[in-house]
């Protein structure tokens, strides 16, 4: 059964599929970094409106990217998705590793492109060590995102998947103190960014641990809710 977050032809060459993941993650990071800068510049006195504008840009871009690249690579753009598919036996390790490497490289290139477009923006200070509420919220955001992704995939809601993910991300960006990075590639690339998306090294490290923990908890949950899978690791 063809479903969302799996490529249409998992036996096709790995290089083009990994390239799709790299390009998609690059564009996602470009929008994430740039939308924050634009919102901060246009709405400097209204943090709520700036956050909502940034959330619209990120969620909208992710929906478009999943629709565009989903048939080619699955449209992950997130190491948590690729890694959990491997853990669930739905993807070969070589493919998961290639996807994750492409995602990390793509996210860093996206930051560099954002800087090339806007120049080096004025740094906006972020706390080096976040409040624990931020870390817990990142765990919850990652848990929720993985539940949405694998819930849509395993229930066969192919057409709904991209929009469900975009809707969750929009809500989570606004509703969580951490603004829902929920993506290790974006979190790592944020170390090289300036502007609202920038993270310090200790913050990024804690967020990465929280994202991994949230994803693993989600894995246990969706394996219980949707225990049956007829897809073998052919990719």
């Amino acid at each position: 059964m063809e479903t969302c977050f799996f490529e249409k032809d998992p036996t096709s060459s790995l290089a083009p599929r990994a390239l799709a993941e790299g390009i998609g993650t690059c564009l996602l990071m470009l929008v994430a970094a740039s939308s924050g800068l634009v919102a901060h510049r246009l709405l400097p006195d209204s943090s709520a409106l700036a956050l909502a504008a940034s959330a619209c840009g990120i969620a909208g871009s992710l929906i478009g990217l999943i629709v565009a690249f989903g048939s080619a690579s699955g449209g992950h753009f997130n190491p948590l998705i690729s890694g959990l598919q491997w853990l669930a036996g739905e993807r070969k390790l070589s493919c998961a590793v290639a996807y994750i490497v492409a995602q990390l490289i793509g996210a860093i290139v996206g930051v560099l492109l954002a800087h090339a477009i806007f120049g080096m923006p004025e740094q906006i200070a972020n706390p080096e060590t976040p409040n624990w509420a931020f870390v817990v919220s990142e765990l919850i955001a990652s848990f929720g995102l993985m539940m949405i992704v694998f819930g849509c995939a395993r229930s066969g809601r192919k057409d709904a998947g991209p929009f469900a993910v975009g809707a969750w991300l929009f809500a989570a960006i606004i509703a969580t103190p951490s603004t829902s990075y929920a993506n290790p590639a974006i979190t790592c690339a944020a170390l090289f960014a300036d502007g609202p998306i920038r993270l310090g090294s200790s913050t990024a490290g804690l967020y990465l641990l929280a994202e991994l923990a949230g994803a693993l908890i989600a894995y246990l949950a969706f394996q219980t809710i949707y225990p049956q899978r007829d897809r073998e690791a052919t990719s």
Side-chain angles (χ1 to χ4, degrees):
M1 179 181 66
E2 186 179 347
T3 185
C4 51
F5 306 108
F6 288 93
E7 52 272 65
K8 186 174 183 179
D9 181 9
T11 64
S12 62
S13 175
L14 178 56
R17 289 187 280 137
L19 179 62
E21 285 296 305
I23 292 174
T25 311
C26 173
L27 294 175
L28 176 62
M29 186 65 199
L30 172 62
V31 171
S34 299
S35 63
L37 291 169
V38 171
H40 178 74
R41 290 180 180 181
L42 297 180
L43 301 165
D45 300 321
S46 180
S47 58
L49 285 176
L51 181 63
S54 181
C56 284
I58 296 170
S61 68
L62 185 56
I63 292 171
L65 289 167
I66 295 172
V67 171
F69 291 107
S71 294
S73 68
H76 300 180
F77 321 125
N78 189 329
L80 297 179
I81 301 174
S82 305
L84 288 190
Q85 284 188 353
W86 166 74
L87 189 62
E90 298 170 345
R91 186 169 301 279
K92 292 181 179 179
L93 179 59
S94 58
C95 181
V97 170
Y99 274 22
I100 291 170
V101 171
Q103 291 156 1
L104 290 169
I105 294 173
I108 294 172
V109 173
V111 166
L112 298 178
L113 288 176
H115 289 174
I117 293 171
F118 287 95
M120 292 300 292
E122 179 183 355
Q123 290 193 358
I124 302 171
N126 288 332
E128 181 65 20
T129 303
N131 185 291
W132 279 104
F134 283 60
V135 179
V136 173
S137 82
E138 194 62 21
L139 184 152
I140 294 171
S142 301
F143 169 83
L145 179 59
M146 293 303 102
M147 292 301 297
I148 295 292
V149 166
F150 284 87
C152 288
R154 295 193 174 193
S155 63
R157 300 300 301 271
K158 180 179 184 297
D159 294 333
F163 301 95
V165 168
W168 167 261
L169 188 59
F170 175 82
I173 289 173
I174 295 176
T176 59
S178 67
T179 66
S180 184
Y181 287 71
N183 184 328
I186 301 298
T187 301
C188 289
L191 289 167
F192 303 94
D194 283 312
I197 200 172
R198 183 178 67 89
L199 293 175
S201 57
S202 63
T203 301
L206 289 172
Y207 279 13
L208 287 171
L209 291 175
E211 289 161 3
L212 179 59
L216 291 175
I217 295 171
Y219 171 80
L220 296 176
F222 67 68
Q223 287 288 82
T224 301
I225 297 170
Y226 290 107
Q228 299 296 326
R229 285 294 285 146
D230 56 4
R231 179 181 291 272
E232 297 179 356
T234 58
S235 59

